[in-house]
Amino acid sequence: MSFNDQIKSRVIALDAAMRPWAERSPLRAGLYEFLLFGLKQAWACLFAAIMLALLVGSHLFWPDHAPIARYDFLVIAAVLVQVALLAMKLEHWNEALVILVFHVVGTAMEVFKTAHGSWIYPEPSLLRLGDVPLFSGFMYACIGSYIARIWRLFDIRFIRFPPLWVSWALAVGSYVNFFSHHYILDMRWALFALTALAYAQTWFVFTPDLKPRRMPMLLGLILVSFFIWLAENLGTFASAWVYPSQRDGWHMVSVSKMGSWYLLILLSFVLVTLVHRPRSPDEEAKTVTPGLD
């Protein structure tokens, strides 16, 4: 039995023990559903949580005279974590390939942005591309991993999802704008307006327990952007990277950065659609179990 199967069997056993308690009243059922929602969210964030722990932990405890640079350690650790997730079947190979693509396009943007002084990596390292240590691409991989895993864990479906080419056009336009705004007009406000128009009537349906729930897609994008912004604050606190305004001392990243993450999530989202096609609630009904996949 794989490690993943062992975890699933334990969760199913826990569910069998807790389900009678939850079914005694609507309040208990709601509390149990919320517990499962949090459990699945935490499980979807597995890669991101490990990376954040590595960033903060190495910042606090990295020895001054270590044989390798902290950034190089983070590269090696991130690769090992990714290999372990695949070996233990906690991540699917087709998803890993898509996440790798996001890793590459994220690194390309990092090289461009650091060359233009948008942010810096203040510590020395050997494993780097230009001014960008190679662990940075794994920060983007964390986002792709979360979206891919949550799609499976909550059996995500969509109501009134626009044609897929619309999402691709918005994602590509957002990515291009990260580069082009250094030379021409910044189009982010136009992109915000277009995404609001495209997804104004779109809802995503998710199943934390047995009953499907739904949320406006725009609200979901904003919430994910907010939590990535919180994680970014931890990353800059740990000196994984810093913005020019933080060179003289750490302070919280401007909340306006949520807008950048909002647009970047679109790219991660459309890449994940290569392996998880957006489906409607009545399409290929899947039996939802309390186990973790």
Side-chain angles (χ1 to χ4, degrees):
M1 181 181 294
S2 69
F3 181 70
N4 189 33
D5 289 337
Q6 292 179 39
I7 293 175
K8 289 171 66 176
S9 65
R10 290 176 183 176
V11 173
I12 291 173
L14 177 64
D15 178 73
M18 292 291 295
R19 185 68 61 180
W21 175 87
E23 291 177 344
R24 290 176 186 171
S25 72
L27 177 60
R28 290 186 179 185
L31 290 173
Y32 186 58
E33 182 179 42
F34 185 72
L35 173 65
L36 289 178
F37 174 82
L39 178 62
K40 289 185 176 183
Q41 284 283 355
W43 194 238
C45 293
L46 178 63
F47 191 15
I50 293 173
M51 286 303 301
L52 279 175
L54 288 169
L55 291 177
V56 176
S58 64
H59 172 67
L60 295 175
F61 304 111
W62 193 253
D64 293 334
H65 303 291
I68 63 172
R70 181 172 77 105
Y71 283 175
D72 291 337
F73 161 77
L74 290 171
V75 176
I76 296 169
V79 172
L80 292 176
V81 169
Q82 182 67 82
V83 170
L85 291 177
L86 289 169
M88 292 186 289
K89 298 182 180 180
L90 300 178
E91 196 163 83
H92 294 184
W93 277 100
N94 59 348
E95 294 172 348
L97 291 175
V98 170
I99 292 166
L100 175 62
V101 173
F102 193 39
H103 182 129
V104 171
V105 297
T107 300
M109 188 179 72
E110 289 279 329
V111 172
F112 179 86
K113 287 290 192 178
T114 53
H116 284 74
S118 297
W119 54 81
I120 61 172
Y121 291 90
E123 299 181 24
S125 64
L126 295 175
L127 303 176
R128 61 195 303 124
L129 187 61
D131 294 325
V132 180
L134 296 182
F135 80 84
S136 67
F138 288 97
M139 300 296 98
Y140 298 91
C142 288
I143 300 172
S145 174
Y146 169 77
I147 293 176
R149 289 167 64 81
I150 206 166
W151 206 308
R152 286 187 282 109
L153 289 167
F154 286 92
D155 191 26
I156 300 291
R157 308 299 179 96
F158 296 89
I159 298 173
R160 292 188 292 276
F161 191 83
L164 196 53
W165 67 264
V166 173
S167 295
W168 273 100
L170 290 170
V172 172
S174 299
Y175 186 69
V176 170
N177 188 67
F178 284 116
F179 298 86
S180 63
H181 83 84
H182 288 276
Y183 308 107
I184 60 175
L185 183 67
D186 189 348
M187 299 297 293
R188 71 179 61 201
W189 287 105
L191 290 164
F192 292 152
L194 289 172
T195 58
L197 181 64
Y199 301 121
Q201 300 184 61
T202 304
W203 294 66
F204 70 88
V205 179
F206 60 102
T207 308
D209 186 15
L210 300 178
K211 184 177 180 179
R213 306 293 181 180
R214 68 177 190 170
M215 176 187 294
M217 183 166 174
L218 288 172
L219 176 58
L221 292 173
I222 292 171
L223 287 174
V224 174
S225 302
F226 172 71
F227 284 105
I228 294 175
W229 173 77
L230 291 179
E232 182 180 35
N233 277 285
L234 281 176
T236 56
F237 170 77
S239 295
W241 67 95
V242 296
Y243 291 100
S245 63
Q246 296 174 319
R247 289 178 179 177
D248 297 327
W250 181 84
H251 58 80
M252 292 193 72
V253 177
S254 170
V255 72
S256 65
K257 282 291 292 180
M258 277 182 57
S260 298
W261 289 117
Y262 172 90
L263 294 176
L264 199 60
I265 288 169
L266 294 176
L267 180 60
S268 180
F269 174 82
V270 297
L271 288 173
V272 172
T273 64
L274 294 174
V275 293
H276 294 298
R277 184 176 60 84
R279 297 176 295 168
S280 63
D282 59 348
E283 199 176 345
E284 301 177 28
K286 176 182 176 181
T287 302
V288 178
T289 68
L292 300 176
D293 193 6

